[in-house]
Amino acid sequence: MDAEQFRKAGHAAVDEIIDYFTNLESRHVASRVSPGYLRPLLPAKPPDKGEEWADIQKDIEAKIMPGLTHWQSPDFMAFFPANSTYPSILGEMYSAAFTAPAFNWLCSPACTELETVVLDWLCHLLHLPASYLSTSATGGGGVIQGSASEAIVTVMIAAREQFIRRHCRLAVPQPASEVEAEDGEWRLRARLVALGSEMSHSSTQKAAMIAGVHYKSIPVDVTDDFALTGRGLTEALQDLTGRGWQPFYLTLTLGTTSTCAVDHFKEIAEVKKQYPNMWVHVDAAYAGAALLLEEYHELTDGFEAFDSFDVNMHKWLLTNFDASCLFLPCREPLISALTITPPYLQNDHSSSGLVTDYRDWQIPLGRRFRALKIWFVLRSYGVNGMKNHVKRHIGLGEIFANWVKNEGSDLFELVAPPRFALTVLRVKLPEEKREKATTPFVMSKAATTETKVDEGLASNDIFPLPNEADGGPQIDTLTRTNALTKEVYERINSTGDILLTSTMIKDCYAIRVVGANEQTNEQQLRKAFEILTRTTEEVLRKLESKAGSE
C-alpha cells in the first residue's frame, strides 16, 4: 500500500467508522453468533498475493461486525462503559504512525514528557493530594498502565519488596550470616498476605496469585452499604497478625464492581497509622471519574496516607482502551522493585537521573504512546466538557433509579443505593409466594443512601439483604427470588435489544444497569426500563399461570 492508496483507504475507513458510530442504535447491541463462527468464514491460510483494501474492508461488515458486542451503543448498559471518542481515535492513529516503544526517555522524549504533563493535569482535575504530582517533594507522579488489573499487580510487587526490605532491616536480632538472612526472607515471603474486601475486584486476588502471596477477603455488611470500614479492617488485621501472618498490601475501592460502594477512606487512613508498612492502593477504575466534580472531592480525604491510586480513562472518561492512570506519592518503591538495567539499555540521560524512564514503573519493557489520546481528549472536551459528561450520566442514573423506586415499586427492589450512574435491583417475589414461606421474610437493617447521588431515595427504599441472625428467610424464598430475577435477566439479554449484567451480592442475585456511554440519553434508559418492566410482567404471568395449574 503506497501513500496514495493509504490516503484513499484512510478516508474510506474514517467514513465507515463515522457511519458505525452514527448508526449504532440500529444494531443489536449483543452479538448473536455461536462459538467458532468465524473460522469457516475465513480461508485456511493467508493469501499468497496481496489483496486490495476495498476487498479487505468489505469483510469488516460481512465477517467481523456479526461477532462484535457494541460497547459504544446507547443500548449497552452492562459491566461498566468502555468509551471511545473521535479525539481518542485520532490519538491512536498518530500513536500507530509513530510506533515508538518508549521504554526510556531516549526512545522518544516527547512520549515520556507528554505522559508526565497530562497525568499531572489529571492529578489536579481529580483533586488528588499534591504529593501525587510529578513535581512533588515526595517524588510522586503518574504512569499510564494497560488496565486497573495491571496497575494492581504492579504496585503489589512494589509493596511486597518494600515490606520485605523494611522488615529485614528492622529484624532483631539481625541475621548472623547471609545464609541466615536469606532463610529469614524466604520464611517471611511464605507468610505474606494481600487483602481486599469481598466486594473488591477479582484482580486483587489474581495479582496475589501472580505475586506468589496469600490472599484474604474481608467481609463487608449491608449496613455499611457494602463498603469496607475501619472496624472491619482492624478486625481482619488483628486476626491475621495474631496467627502469625504478615498483611503487606490492601486494595480499597472507590466504586466496587457489583454496587459502586465506596470504602471508608478516612477511617482506614487512621487504621493504617498502626500498620505503616502495609501498602494501601485505591482502585477507582470506573467511579474515580466522578472526582472531577466538586461534590465528590471529599472522597479523597485520607488519600495522603495511601500509597497508590488508579483510574481508568478508558471507562468513563471518553478515552478508548487502554489508558489506566496510576498515581503514587512516592515512586521510589516502584522503581526499586522493577528496575533492571542491562548494558543495552544504559545511556547518559538515564544515568544522569534527570529524566524519567517509564519502563521502571511497569512490568513490560515497551510501551505505546498512550498519552497522545489523553492529551487530545482533554484538549478537545476541556475541563468543563469532561465534568458535564460525568454529571449528565449521574443525573440519568438518578432518573432511572427513581423510575425503579416509583413506577416499578410493585416489581422491583433496589439491592444497593444507586451511585455513579449504576442501579442494582432485583425482581420482587409476589406477595402470595412470600406468605406461603414457612418462615416470614425478615429483613436486616436497611442501608443508607448517598444523598448527593440521588436525593429522591430514602434509606427504607433500599432492599436490605436477608440476615439469618435476624431470623432470616427460608432458603426457598431466596432461591425463588433469585431464580425469578435470573430468568428476567436472561430473557432480556437473549433478545439483544439491550445488554445488562448480573451479579451476586450476599447470595442475592441482582441485575446491574449502568448508562454511561457518550450516546446514552434519557430515551435509551426509558427504553431499558420499559423492557425490564415488560419482561418482568411476562415472567410473573408465567409464574402465576403455572401456580394456577398446580
Side-chain angles (χ1 to χ4, degrees), residues 143-420:
V143 58
I144 303 173
Q145 303 280 344
S147 67
S149 302
E150 184 179 328
I152 286 174
V153 72
T154 301
V155 296
M156 189 180 290
I157 296 296
R160 183 191 67 190
E161 297 309 303
Q162 176 177 262
F163 186 91
I164 290 170
R165 285 197 308 273
R166 289 179 175 178
H167 192 278
C168 292
R169 187 174 66 244
L170 298 174
V172 178
Q174 284 288 299
S177 67
E178 184 176 338
V179 171
E180 186 177 327
E182 193 173 70
D183 288 345
E185 179 181 322
W186 288 348
R187 285 193 296 270
L188 175 61
R189 286 181 182 273
R191 305 300 292 175
L192 295 179
V193 183
L195 305 174
S197 87
E198 64 176 295
M199 292 293 167
S200 296
H201 193 272
S202 60
S203 54
T204 297
Q205 184 175 2
K206 187 171 185 178
M209 293 168 58
I210 295 169
V213 298
H214 299 278
Y215 176 73
K216 174 68 174 178
S217 175
I218 305 172
V220 296
D221 194 79
V222 61
T223 58
D224 299 311
D225 291 354
F226 308 107
L228 180 63
T229 65
R231 179 189 67 257
L233 174 60
T234 298
E235 291 173 358
L237 291 171
Q238 290 176 345
D239 174 65
L240 288 167
T241 55
R243 292 189 285 137
W245 294 101
Q246 298 286 351
F248 77 101
Y249 171 91
L250 168 68
T251 292
L252 300 180
T253 311
L254 196 169
T256 57
T257 302
S258 288
T259 68
C260 265
V262 177
D263 291 338
H264 294 191
F265 300 130
K266 286 192 284 188
E267 294 177 13
I268 291 167
E270 289 299 311
V271 175
K272 190 179 187 304
K273 293 178 181 178
Q274 306 302 316
Y275 299 86
N277 292 328
M278 181 179 67
W279 186 293
V280 177
H281 173 71
V282 178
D283 176 12
Y286 166 68
L291 296 178
L292 289 173
L293 306 178
E294 291 183 6
E295 54 265 41
Y296 291 97
H297 283 177
E298 65 183 34
L299 294 180
T300 64
D301 291 348
F303 280 19
E304 295 86 353
F306 302 152
D307 301 279
S308 51
F309 169 94
D310 186 80
V311 62
N312 286 345
M313 286 200 70
H314 61 244
K315 279 190 167 69
W316 203 357
L317 290 179
L318 300 164
T319 307
N320 66 287
F321 187 83
D322 53 342
S324 189
C325 301
L326 172 65
F327 296 89
L328 306 97
C330 179
R331 69 187 73 177
E332 189 279 330
L334 195 63
I335 294 173
S336 177
L338 299 176
T339 297
I340 297 178
T341 309
Y344 49 80
L345 292 179
Q346 294 175 5
N347 64 83
D348 291 340
H349 296 289
S350 296
S351 300
S352 71
L354 300 177
V355 300
T356 297
D357 287 342
Y358 279 124
R359 67 181 177 86
D360 299 327
W361 297 48
Q362 61 177 27
I363 292 173
L365 174 65
R367 54 206 325 277
R368 300 188 306 109
F369 196 178
R370 292 173 291 204
L372 264 181
K373 59 187 176 186
I374 296 176
W375 191 42
F376 287 3
V377 167
L378 290 174
R379 293 183 65 185
S380 297
Y381 285 87
V383 174
N384 291 338
M386 301 287 282
K387 288 181 177 180
N388 290 337
H389 169 75
V390 173
K391 196 175 189 70
R392 183 174 71 86
H393 288 137
I394 291 175
L396 288 173
E398 294 173 1
I399 291 171
F400 186 88
N402 278 312
W403 288 337
V404 172
K405 173 191 173 249
N406 298 317
E407 297 178 45
S409 60
D410 292 337
L411 299 175
F412 310 115
E413 295 169 309
L414 293 174
V415 177
R419 291 191 184 97
F420 308 117

